[in-house]
Amino acid sequence: MSDPTLPNTQTNRIKKLPPLLINQLAAGEVVTRPASVVKELIENAIDATATHIEVRITQGGMGMIEVRDDGCGIEADDMVMAVTRYATSKVADVANLQGICTLGFRGEALAATAAVSRLTLISSTDDSGIGRQLELAGILTENPTLTPVVHPKGTLVRVQDLYFNVPARRGNLKSIATEFAHIEAVVKQLALVASHVTFELWHGGKRRFMMEGVTNQRYQPEHSQINVTHSSYRHAKLLSRMAVLLPQPFMPDSSEVSWLELSVDLTGLTEQNNQTEQIASASVTAEVWGILMPLSDLSGQNNRQDSKNLLKLIYVNGRLVQDRRIANCLRHCVNEPLSDMGYVLMFNLPSSWLNVNVHPSKQSIKIANLMNILAHVQLAVQAKLDTWQAQLKP
Ligand SMILES: Nc1ncnc2c1ncn2[C@@H]1O[C@H](COP(=O)(O)OP(=O)(O)O)[C@@H](O)[C@H]1O
Ligand SMILES: [Mg+2]
């Protein structure tokens, strides 16, 4: 009889985890619910410079998630690499992690998703009308086969039966309506920042919304006789997207809620930094711009319910982030008689100031100079709100 107090040499040896298990563990961090799959797939399409992204969902994403784009596509020889963990076309080497300008870079999303679903990848890189299809469920087989299929230039990823092989995770999912609401929110959040892309969202064969991409050539300001500066021009573009996406009372043209344009130039900060970093400042953008939506008791807004629906979105170099310090700074700008403030703010910062490799879902980010940046933002927001309140007073 073996002594139970002694370590069991059989089970205590260190073993390598099988690849499927490794990918499933990664999926635990990246694929937290159907909406997180949708987010990763849309980010891939944006990185592939798509101009049209179509998202088709069944059963709140628990049946099927399909994202089709007209981006650059994946070379036949790279199809298998695309679904291999830690394989990415986006960062060449570790040093490059400093200046990432794509939304993806970890090379995890497709492999992690495939580990917990039945995944079909179809892609074509040219206008021949021919693409390749790769199917996998859980993990790649030894010799995965690429099937030639009819496909226009671009990529289609279909994810079926999410968590079919991880019943515990499937049990954690909420109702179809709840999961779809999360998906809808994710698509809208990405559509706000990628305003040049046309987005379509379908659920169960019904189109939920479609938003035309607004390119600089195609955008016609309503009052074309007004000399639209570059700055108010992009505000107008953002507002036109928000008008489609916001719940009714928050339409930018509604009399209920006012919106204010914000533009904060931070080039002064890059000049300070340049003295130490030696970067040509002409090529470096450093600014914060966007829309503020103050809620005020003075304007008779019924605020408790309204506050809950307010958009509060922060993007850093096109990436939606959750940053408590930025959110706190904005909250501190809200004083009586304001009851709350919504915002969609774009932080465009030199990539050398950012470290995006902080969290697998890439929603946390490290920003150098943040205190200085926020000091400028706070001054500008407060000045905007003061002017607005002065106008409100009878
Ligand atoms: N929609 C797409 N269009 C073109 N290439 C894609 C698309 N989706 C994925 N890829 C390719 O597959 C690779 C792996 O994707 P992913 O697992 O999301 O990792 P990451 O985006 O971090 O590189 C990408 O680097 C890219 O080369
Ligand atoms: Mg990706």
Side-chain angles (χ1 to χ4, degrees):
M1 282 267 291
S2 64
D3 180 350
T5 59
L6 287 175
N8 180 332
T9 49
Q10 274 302 305
T11 53
N12 281 0
R13 296 299 307 276
I14 299 173
K15 291 187 268 352
K16 255 190 121 163
L17 294 174
L20 175 61
L21 190 55
I22 292 176
N23 286 357
Q24 286 184 337
L25 291 172
E29 296 171 320
V30 186
V31 187
T32 50
R33 64 184 338 151
S36 54
V37 175
V38 174
K39 170 178 171 284
E40 294 291 339
L41 298 183
I42 294 179
E43 287 188 347
N44 279 347
I46 293 174
D47 283 344
T49 62
T51 63
H52 192 132
I53 301 177
E54 197 181 298
V55 182
R56 286 177 184 269
I57 304 295
T58 66
Q59 293 166 29
M62 296 175 276
M64 184 194 77
I65 294 165
E66 188 181 279
V67 176
R68 179 193 289 267
D69 70 57
D70 62 350
C72 62
I74 303 171
E75 295 289 346
D77 290 346
D78 286 344
M79 290 280 285
V80 171
M81 282 305 259
V83 294
T84 304
R85 189 153 184 240
Y86 298 139
T88 174
S89 57
K90 297 170 195 173
V91 259
D93 55 62
V94 176
N96 261 333
L97 276 179
Q98 254 298 313
I100 290 166
C101 346
T102 49
L103 295 171
F105 56 86
R106 300 174 60 100
E108 268 181 328
L110 287 184
T113 307
V116 293
S117 69
R118 300 181 216 281
L119 186 140
T120 306
L121 176 66
I122 305 177
S123 197
S124 170
T125 54
D126 56 35
D127 293 320
S128 63
I130 310 290
R132 272 95 18 204
Q133 173 170 325
L134 178 66
E135 286 190 328
L136 58 165
I139 196 157
L140 279 171
T141 51
E142 281 286 307
N143 293 307
T145 46
L146 289 185
T147 322
V149 289
V150 174
H151 196 75
K153 184 175 173 208
T155 302
L156 180 152
V157 181
R158 188 180 304 128
V159 175
Q160 283 166 296
D161 304 330
L162 190 61
Y163 298 133
F164 79 97
N165 52 0
V166 199
R169 301 293 298 278
R170 204 165 171 105
N172 280 341
L173 296 175
K174 301 283 184 290
S175 68
I176 288 178
T178 303
E179 294 301 337
F180 184 75
H182 282 284
I183 290 175
E184 193 167 356
V186 157
V187 181
K188 288 178 174 180
Q189 286 159 3
L190 287 161
L192 276 186
V193 67
S195 58
H196 58 289
V197 178
T198 298
F199 280 89
E200 277 182 58
L201 176 63
W202 297 71
H203 192 205
K206 285 208 191 83
R207 192 159 81 183
R208 303 305 280 258
F209 64 75
M210 146 106 167
M211 263 173 297
E212 285 281 345
V214 209
T215 61
N216 287 353
Q217 292 79 29
R218 243 194 286 160
Y219 182 70
Q220 296 284 325
E222 272 164 55
H223 310 290
S224 46
Q225 68 272 33
I226 298 173
N227 181 15
V228 186
T229 62
H230 167 66
S231 166
S232 56
Y233 175 75
R234 61 184 182 173
H235 283 102
K237 279 208 310 190
L238 177 58
L239 277 166
S240 72
R241 263 239 152 154
M242 286 166 66
V244 180
L245 297 179
L246 290 173
Q248 252 303 321
F250 293 94
M251 296 296 204
D253 56 357
S254 139
S255 56
E256 294 280 307
V257 176
S258 312
W259 47 267
L260 308 169
E261 295 178 3
L262 184 78
S263 284
V264 191
D265 184 0
L266 299 172
T267 31
L269 292 178
T270 65
E271 279 148 21
Q272 286 169 20
N273 252 40
N274 278 354
Q275 289 168 358
T276 49
E277 281 181 26
Q278 311 277 316
I279 311 168
S281 68
S283 61
V284 178
T285 316
E287 56 161 1
V288 178
W289 72 276
I291 304 287
L292 306 174
M293 290 162 286
L295 276 187
S296 161
D297 292 337
L298 281 183
S299 59
Q301 291 149 347
N302 164 15
N303 48 59
R304 182 159 298 160
Q305 187 54 33
D306 287 357
S307 271
K308 264 178 54 190
N309 289 329
L310 270 185
L311 274 189
K312 296 187 178 185
L313 300 176
I314 299 160
Y315 298 85
V316 178
N317 291 15
R319 184 188 307 282
L320 183 70
V321 299
Q322 313 282 344
D323 191 299
R324 208 174 305 143
R325 284 180 301 171
I326 301 178
N328 280 342
C329 161
L330 293 163
R331 193 166 34 247
H332 283 308
C333 297
V334 175
N335 292 316
E336 291 274 304
L338 283 190
S339 56
D340 203 352
M341 179 175 71
Y343 46 81
V344 178
L345 291 183
M346 311 291 175
F347 287 65
N348 294 332
L349 304 174
S351 56
S352 60
W353 295 7
L354 307 179
N355 180 353
V356 289
N357 191 28
V358 183
H359 191 266
S361 73
K362 300 167 290 178
Q363 288 201 357
S364 315
I365 196 165
K366 246 194 228 144
I367 306 174
N369 283 344
L370 186 61
M371 286 306 146
N372 278 339
I373 296 169
L374 291 183
H376 283 75
V377 170
Q378 192 157 2
L379 279 180
V381 172
Q382 267 157 357
K384 276 278 165 188
L385 294 178
D386 287 347
T387 317
W388 179 70
Q389 278 166 34
Q391 287 165 355
L392 269 188
K393 292 202 178 105

